[in-house]
Amino acid sequence: GSIVGTVLAGFFLISYLGTFKIVISLALTMFLISFLADRKSYLPVRVAALVLMFLVLVGLVNTKTFNEKNGFIDIDTDYNRIWIYDEQDHFTGRLVRRLIVNGENDSSVFLDGSDLVHDYTKFYRLVSYFRPNTARALMIGGGAYTYPRDYINSFPEATIDVVEIDSGITNTARKYLGLVDHPRMKVFHEDGRTFLNNTDKQYDAIFLDAYKSFSVPFHLTTREAVEKMYKHLDGNGVVLANLISSVTGKDGKFLRAEYATFKDVFPYVYVFPVATDGSVLQNIMLVAAKSTPENVLKSPNKELQTYLNNLWEELIPPDVPILTDDFAPVEQYMARTLR
């Protein structure tokens, strides 16, 4: 029974029904079983309980329908629970549409369709500094596809492959977040490490946006994975990886482990905290390059120089081991940030 239930839930029921309907169905089934098993209860009480259960069920279904009519979308995919809703951005005052994946703000788009919402996504534009005139890029982690769209607009002749494990997220982005298929953007629905293992393509740049606050796919953090990225880059290629950590303190172990891992493979590794305080849990852009620009960390482009100014120049201590396929305790490192 346990085996059948696990297989049914993991491979069929969640895909076809979603978690909301499964929970309601389980609650109703358990209630009906207890209702049928209890023959001694007073009949009017049993009938009243059954009517109450029916009303609760109707109320839950109507609440879900009401939320959808008022702009709150709740979707189950094969991998994730997705919420979508609109709100006013605290910093700009503009309306944004949020994509919430498993309770975490994954992506946002301005409803007027211009610029990037989150500051960390703008740090991906550092590719123009570390790999000028990039023509072929790979992004692992699609979300709302905000940066891939920005990349296509910034490099009119360039192409980008986007690997997103969850086709449901891609379909949601198309339906609710303004994603339009583009001839220079190709989408692959598979695991990022699997793609790296099987592809024979070479890229100028690889963007990583698969490390979340509560769920980090360890197999994309290890030396073996980084070696695959190195292999698929040309001679001047660069990796730009967004991760959530601090630099210093107990909340910085993931960053320090990932920094050490990339340093074990790439000759040049830079860390750009989005906030200036390295002790704060935040988005951090880690840049690993096969070569370094001649004018290190100086750019005539004012926007790029703004991002370059956030370079972390203090020593990053090697106080945690590099991550490998055999030993990558990223869950422990991230769990510390939740205490």
Side-chain angles (χ1 to χ4, degrees):
S2 297
I3 294 173
V4 172
T6 300
V7 172
L8 283 176
F11 294 95
F12 296 99
L13 294 179
I14 292 177
S15 298
Y16 289 101
L17 296 179
T19 56
F20 178 81
K21 292 180 181 178
I22 290 175
V23 170
I24 296 301
S25 299
L26 285 174
L28 183 59
T29 300
M30 293 175 67
F31 180 84
L32 289 176
I33 290 174
S34 64
F35 177 81
L36 294 174
D38 186 10
R39 299 174 179 270
K40 298 180 180 180
S41 295
Y42 187 48
L43 181 60
V45 174
R46 295 167 63 190
V47 172
L50 184 61
V51 171
L52 177 62
M53 184 63 190
F54 176 76
L55 293 175
V56 170
L57 179 62
V58 171
L60 288 172
V61 173
N62 287 339
T63 297
K64 186 176 177 68
T65 303
F66 175 82
N67 286 338
E68 291 180 354
K69 288 182 178 179
N70 286 274
F72 184 87
I73 310 300
D74 187 349
I75 300 172
D76 285 297
T77 72
D78 290 350
Y79 293 91
N80 299 290
R81 177 80 174 274
I82 298 174
W83 293 343
I84 298 173
Y85 57 84
D86 299 342
E87 68 176 5
Q88 190 175 39
D89 184 57
H90 298 298
F91 300 101
T92 64
R94 298 157 65 186
L95 284 177
V96 296
R97 179 159 293 170
R98 306 289 190 193
L99 172 67
I100 309 298
V101 179
N102 301 324
E104 183 175 357
N105 192 347
D106 185 274
S107 303
S108 303
V109 296
F110 284 118
L111 291 182
D112 59 21
S114 61
D115 204 14
L116 298 169
V117 176
H118 298 298
D119 286 340
Y120 85 86
T121 55
K122 298 176 184 178
F123 276 72
Y124 283 124
R125 292 171 176 170
L126 282 171
V127 68
S128 299
Y129 172 79
F130 286 98
R131 187 61 170 87
N133 303 317
T134 179
R136 300 159 299 172
L138 167 68
M139 186 156 200
I140 298 177
Y145 291 73
T146 53
Y147 181 70
R149 288 185 258 181
D150 185 78
Y151 175 88
I152 288 293
N153 292 332
S154 300
F155 300 94
E157 302 298 325
T159 62
I160 185 169
D161 293 338
V162 183
V163 179
E164 168 57 58
I165 192 171
D166 190 350
S167 61
I169 287 183
T170 302
N171 293 333
T172 300
R174 288 181 177 130
K175 186 173 181 179
Y176 298 104
L177 295 153
L179 174 64
V180 178
D181 293 336
H182 196 286
R184 291 189 285 116
M185 180 171 64
K186 190 172 183 180
V187 177
F188 298 85
H189 290 125
E190 63 179 294
D191 179 83
R193 179 70 178 272
T194 303
F195 181 88
L196 289 171
N197 290 343
N198 296 332
T199 188
D200 57 1
K201 292 185 176 183
Q202 291 293 113
Y203 297 99
D204 302 323
I206 296 176
F207 306 103
L208 283 174
D209 196 16
Y211 307 154
K212 308 301 181 184
S213 297
F214 309 118
S215 176
V216 177
F218 84 92
H219 58 291
L220 285 172
T221 70
T222 64
R223 178 177 58 197
E224 291 84 353
V226 175
E227 288 172 344
K228 290 289 184 181
M229 298 175 206
Y230 188 95
K231 173 185 175 182
H232 291 299
L233 289 171
D234 68 4
N236 296 313
V238 61
V239 175
L240 293 93
N242 168 59
L243 52 90
I244 298 174
S245 178
S246 64
V247 181
T248 61
K250 67 178 182 66
D251 292 343
K253 284 195 170 184
F254 177 45
L255 177 277
R256 297 197 293 275
E258 195 70 332
Y259 177 80
T261 303
F262 273 90
K263 284 283 287 184
D264 195 57
V265 178
F266 282 83
Y268 305 99
V269 182
Y270 307 91
V271 170
F272 297 91
V274 174
T276 55
D277 185 353
S279 66
V280 175
L281 189 66
Q282 61 186 292
N283 290 94
I284 297 176
M285 190 63 68
L286 184 148
V287 179
K290 284 190 171 183
S291 62
T292 188
E294 293 182 4
N295 299 318
V296 178
L297 305 177
K298 297 293 181 182
S299 173
N301 184 301
K302 291 183 178 180
E303 181 187 9
L304 294 183
Q305 189 60 55
T306 299
Y307 308 142
L308 291 170
N309 289 340
N310 280 32
L311 173 70
W312 183 262
E313 299 187 271
E314 298 179 25
L315 175 68
I316 298 178
D319 59 347
V320 287
I322 65 172
L323 303 170
T324 67
D325 284 351
D326 183 59
F327 182 73
V330 293
E331 293 90 353
Q332 294 182 26
Y333 296 157
M334 296 309 296
R336 295 174 182 272
T337 67
L338 303 177
R339 294 175 183 172

